[in-house]
Amino acid sequence: MRHLARITVGALAALAAVAGCGSGPTPEALYAEAEQLRLKYEKCASDEAITLYRQAMTAWEEGGQHRDAARAGQGLGATYDQLGLLEDSLRAYQSALSLARESPDRVLESEIASAMGTARARTADGEVAFDEAREQCRRAHELARRHGNKRAEGSALSCFGEVAYYQFRPDEALERYKAAGRVCGEVGDRAGEAQAHLYQGHVYSDQSKFEEARDCFEQAQSIWVSLGDERGRAITLVGEARLLVRQGEYQEALDRFQSALALLRPMGDAVWEGSSLTGIARVYLD
């Protein structure tokens, strides 16, 4: 897990007072602290990050700084997502996207549209919701291509893949994930590349293409380890464990589910912690 230096809000306020400013931390300081807390992948830190993102977002919005407010909203959505609070994440991204559209930063708008499209797909309850998600992916992809930003383009392609995956269109999802991985590889977006491998692994596993799934999970895991990304490692362990269950390798599956659970519990990710517990229960039932 990343060990990031933490400056508390109280310390920031004290520094501001020493400098002759009685108004407390600036939104820039609040945002920087929130980013550090989010990336610790600990529930208490994530809860505090949410408060700080909200404070920074409000201050920037009131000051008419729509781009910065959108960035804070983007961080807020990401934090809710890593806590497994998918509906809250979607609402945060919706607010952030509205702010981004009022700013001159079209690449930021693309990034947030991809995140919103993905969140919409994961919470979709029917075709209308999937259509809305796909439209966000389309807009994100158009903006990324128009402004020549490959990293944003990779996110948009992944967004398309998620919509297809949750609509049970595995071949289309796989095509999109592969395209996302290629684009991320071109620009050195290692996290995006790992995510693309992970998502491909899920599709192959669902299709009982065990060797292809294992290769994808191994590639994803290798990158997550090199990046020090514990959440990515944990989610990939869950994917590997599900694959092993499908292959009848129950003890190895159990070991991976338990390893994933040990990583996920401190993070407070309700979705993936629940997935690990469900997997463990299935192993014992089988």
Side-chain angles (χ1 to χ4, degrees):
M1 186 176 295
R2 294 174 181 146
H3 296 279
L4 299 170
R6 177 176 175 185
I7 304 174
T8 65
V9 176
L12 288 168
L15 288 171
V18 170
C21 174
S23 59
T26 64
E28 290 82 4
L30 292 168
Y31 176 81
E33 172 72 355
E35 286 283 276
Q36 290 184 331
L37 289 167
R38 177 175 66 83
L39 294 174
K40 293 181 78 170
Y41 296 128
E42 297 171 1
K43 187 179 186 305
C44 289
S46 295
D47 289 341
E48 189 172 347
I50 287 170
T51 299
L52 299 184
Y53 279 129
R54 286 193 177 280
Q55 290 174 355
M57 186 176 175
T58 298
W60 272 323
E61 187 173 4
E62 289 175 350
Q65 295 172 265
H66 295 125
R67 179 183 181 277
D68 289 330
R71 288 170 52 231
Q74 183 182 28
L76 183 63
T79 308
Y80 279 130
D81 178 69
Q82 69 189 41
L83 287 171
L85 302 174
L86 303 184
E87 293 287 351
D88 289 327
S89 177
L90 176 61
R91 284 190 288 270
Y93 284 133
Q94 287 171 330
S95 297
L97 186 58
S98 295
L99 290 163
R101 286 172 175 163
E102 295 182 51
S103 82
D105 193 335
R106 300 283 69 84
V107 172
L108 178 63
E109 181 184 345
S110 172
E111 292 172 351
I112 297 174
S114 290
M116 181 179 160
T118 298
R120 193 74 182 101
R122 291 173 179 171
T123 58
D125 55 2
E127 288 304 309
V128 172
F130 281 119
D131 288 344
E132 292 171 357
R134 192 178 298 103
E135 175 57 25
Q136 294 302 330
C137 303
R138 185 203 63 77
R139 174 65 173 163
H141 190 251
E142 176 189 336
L143 288 171
R145 293 291 297 272
R146 184 188 306 168
H147 294 275
N149 192 293
K150 288 284 190 178
R151 188 178 293 263
E153 182 182 347
S155 295
L157 289 166
S158 181
C159 177
F160 277 125
E162 288 291 85
V163 175
Y165 182 78
Y166 285 99
Q167 279 194 298
F168 303 104
R169 300 200 312 273
D171 291 339
E172 180 186 341
L174 196 57
E175 180 183 345
R176 295 292 194 175
Y177 293 147
K178 287 180 177 179
R182 286 193 296 270
V183 171
C184 291
E186 289 174 13
V187 295
D189 180 356
R190 297 288 283 159
E193 197 175 352
Q195 181 175 268
H197 287 307
L198 171 62
Y199 291 166
Q200 289 173 64
H202 287 155
V203 176
Y204 284 130
S205 180
D206 292 345
Q207 295 177 326
S208 297
K209 295 181 178 178
F210 300 142
E211 186 174 343
E212 292 91 335
R214 184 174 59 253
D215 288 346
C216 286
F217 288 139
E218 287 177 355
Q219 290 180 74
Q221 198 67 271
S222 176
I223 297 173
W224 294 132
V225 169
S226 72
L227 294 175
D229 191 318
E230 297 288 86
R231 185 167 186 267
R233 283 188 58 214
I235 293 171
T236 305
L237 281 168
V238 174
E240 291 173 339
R242 288 173 176 168
L243 175 63
L244 288 163
V245 168
R246 286 169 171 152
Q247 293 177 287
E249 302 289 343
Y250 295 116
Q251 185 57 55
E252 287 188 51
L254 183 61
D255 291 344
R256 279 176 171 77
F257 277 131
Q258 290 175 336
S259 295
L261 189 61
L263 291 170
L264 288 162
R265 272 185 169 149
M267 299 179 194
D269 187 328
V271 170
W272 286 104
E273 184 177 342
S275 294
S276 299
L277 290 168
T278 300
I280 290 170
R282 180 180 172 185
V283 169
Y284 283 118
L285 286 172
D286 288 349

